[in-house]
Amino acid sequence: MARPHSLKFTLAALLLLAVAVAILASLGRWQLHRAHERRAILANIESGRAQPALTLSADVPLDQLRPWRRASVSGQWLTDKSVLLDNRNHDGKPGYWLATPLLIDEVHAVLVLRGWLPRAIPGHADLPLPATAPGTQTVVGELATHVPRLFELWSLGASENGQLPATLPTPDGVPPSVQNLALDAYAR
């Protein structure tokens, strides 16, 4: 025999359906918002890349320094001030980004992300850093306002882990390794 129709079960089912619809609608709005953000980022990248190439010098106005704009700069490498950015993968392999400043004049420098280095294999000698040519060098690339950040657990607390040493170069001559590089701290 069929069970009698219960108003309580019907109302509970309708309430659960309404909650599910509200949650799914808010997730849809969130996805649309993320799509709008990503389109804005892409428009910013395309706008910067559409600008004519810029030759950097100490007297370039700040309004000319747009992210993603192609630029060239000439100067001398400060290899003793290099920093390794840890946990930067390339083709699924762990490694580092090598960041080295290029001195433009006596006071101004530009930080250059020189490329990716594989992580040293445990039990083997550390991989040597790529050499830099002496004298004035010219580098061509795209401008960026910051070094891309990665999530780090110790940033939630007040830990000193992963921070730059007080002075560069380090006494042992080995470039420090940090996960994220705050440019203001590095400039000091």
Side-chain angles (χ1 to χ4, degrees), residues 84 94-96 116-121 124-130 174-175:
L84 294 171
Y96 304 94
W116 180 84
L117 299 171
R119 184 182 301 275
I121 300 169
H124 292 78
D126 289 337
L127 296 170
L129 296 180
V174 176

Side-chain angles (χ1 to χ4, degrees), residues 15-29:
L15 181 63
L16 285 174
L17 180 63
V19 168
V21 166
I23 290 171
L24 293 174
S26 68
L27 287 173
R29 282 193 304 274

Side-chain angles (χ1 to χ4, degrees), residues 80-169:
D80 59 338
K81 307 269 192 285
S82 292
V83 175
L84 294 171
L85 301 173
D86 201 358
N87 293 324
R88 306 301 169 136
N89 295 334
H90 180 69
D91 291 335
K93 296 176 186 163
Y96 304 94
W97 282 352
L98 176 59
T100 305
L102 188 71
L103 187 65
I104 299 173
D105 59 25
E106 298 81 27
V107 177
H108 299 92
V110 174
L111 186 65
V112 178
L113 290 177
R114 292 178 48 204
W116 180 84
L117 299 171
R119 184 182 301 275
I121 300 169
H124 292 78
D126 289 337
L127 296 170
L129 296 180
T132 55
T136 301
Q137 302 297 314
T138 300
V139 177
V140 177
E142 290 179 338
L143 297 176
T145 57
H146 64 282
V147 178
R149 292 188 56 82
L150 297 177
F151 179 75
E152 50 192 13
L153 290 174
W154 55 82
S155 68
L156 299 175
S159 172
E160 297 287 320
N161 191 11
Q163 293 186 357
L164 285 172
T167 60
L168 287 175

Side-chain angles (χ1 to χ4, degrees), residues 41 44-58 60-74 102 104 109-113 139-148 183:
I41 291 169
N44 190 20
I45 291 170
E46 289 174 347
S47 168
R49 288 181 175 167
Q51 297 286 320
L54 178 68
T55 302
L56 294 180
S57 65
V60 171
L62 290 178
D63 64 341
Q64 297 293 314
L65 302 177
R66 294 209 36 186
W68 303 102
R69 184 174 185 177
R70 289 194 51 80
S72 65
V73 62
S74 294
L102 188 71
I104 299 173
V110 174
L111 186 65
V112 178
L113 290 177
V139 177
V140 177
E142 290 179 338
L143 297 176
T145 57
H146 64 282
V147 178
L183 294 179

Side-chain angles (χ1 to χ4, degrees), residues 30-46:
W30 174 73
Q31 284 289 340
L32 291 173
H33 178 69
R34 287 290 295 144
H36 176 70
E37 285 177 352
R38 293 177 83 74
R39 280 193 292 273
I41 291 169
L42 180 60
N44 190 20
I45 291 170
E46 289 174 347

